[in-house]
Amino acid sequence: MSGPRQYRHGRSSAVGCPSRPRADLVRLLLSDLRRPPGLRAAPALLSRVLLHGTRLGPLAFRGEEARALLAGAAAHLTGPLPSLPGAAVGLLLAQLAHGPGWPVPRGGSRSIADALAADIRAHGGVLHTGREITDLRELDGVRAVLLDLSPIALASLAGDRLPPRYARALRRYRYGPEHRPLMPQ
């Protein structure tokens, strides 16, 4: 990759970021949105998400590198691309990459799992690991169950314990982005 490309309208950018990252965009995207930290960034965010979340997005770039970079960042969202949520995720990751850096927890990703487990234990929960569960009936009488499963595996594990319509939807689940090019040619 030879560096950032020029936008067709002259601004230097690799993925819709101005040459200086916008901290206000990052704060808005990371806020809980019920009480946003200010809406000054909202018009810029809205215009970029609407552009990059549609098939028009690639037209804003001159080179394949910038298109691929934004598509790669947006693909962190599981779902069809292009999409408005994918554009928001892609723009957030691009802003973080060009500014303060990638959000990596102290101690690595493992620290997130450790913190969640510690919180469960602090509230009286018990974790059982290293045991394969093949049917949810094995957990009868347990007050709460947390599962780390794919939708299809959940349908299989639950058997007839789920409403039929929901079980069918789980079994029809398609993994990852739809089977079409991320960016139009």
Side-chain angles (χ1 to χ4, degrees):
M1 200 180 285
S2 59
R5 297 289 183 216
Q6 292 290 316
Y7 253 124
R8 287 203 172 126
H9 39 52
R11 290 185 312 217
S12 176
S13 175
V15 289
C17 304
S19 55
R20 286 189 332 242
R22 297 214 20 202
D24 55 344
L25 280 179
V26 172
R27 278 193 302 278
L28 180 60
L29 282 165
L30 292 177
S31 72
D32 76 5
L33 297 178
R34 290 176 291 180
R35 288 177 299 226
L39 296 177
R40 197 179 95 224
L45 175 63
L46 181 62
S47 67
R48 286 181 175 102
V49 166
L50 288 174
L51 172 65
H52 295 301
T54 67
R55 293 200 177 272
L56 298 176
L59 301 177
F61 301 109
R62 288 188 183 156
E64 288 298 315
E65 295 92 347
R67 290 180 197 152
L69 185 61
L70 184 59
H76 282 79
L77 176 82
T78 303
L81 294 175
S83 70
L84 298 180
V89 167
L91 290 168
L92 172 62
L93 292 176
Q95 287 286 325
L96 290 170
H98 287 128
W102 297 109
V104 177
R106 256 187 212 103
S109 298
R110 174 62 190 228
S111 64
I112 296 172
D114 291 344
L116 290 170
D119 190 56
I120 290 170
R121 289 185 186 104
H123 289 90
V126 178
L127 300 172
H128 298 276
T129 61
R131 177 172 171 229
E132 184 178 357
I133 303 295
T134 58
D135 189 307
L136 275 183
R137 285 183 277 260
E138 296 174 47
L139 304 173
D140 280 345
V142 175
R143 193 169 138 217
V145 175
L146 299 177
L147 302 168
D148 183 13
L149 300 171
S150 69
I152 294 171
L154 173 59
S156 174
L157 188 69
D160 60 358
R161 300 183 94 179
L162 297 173
R165 185 174 174 191
Y166 181 59
R168 276 192 306 278
L170 290 174
R171 285 191 293 274
R172 285 193 312 260
Y173 182 81
R174 290 178 59 184
Y175 296 94
E178 291 179 353
H179 303 289
R180 65 178 185 217
L182 291 177
M183 299 293 191
Q185 302 302 322

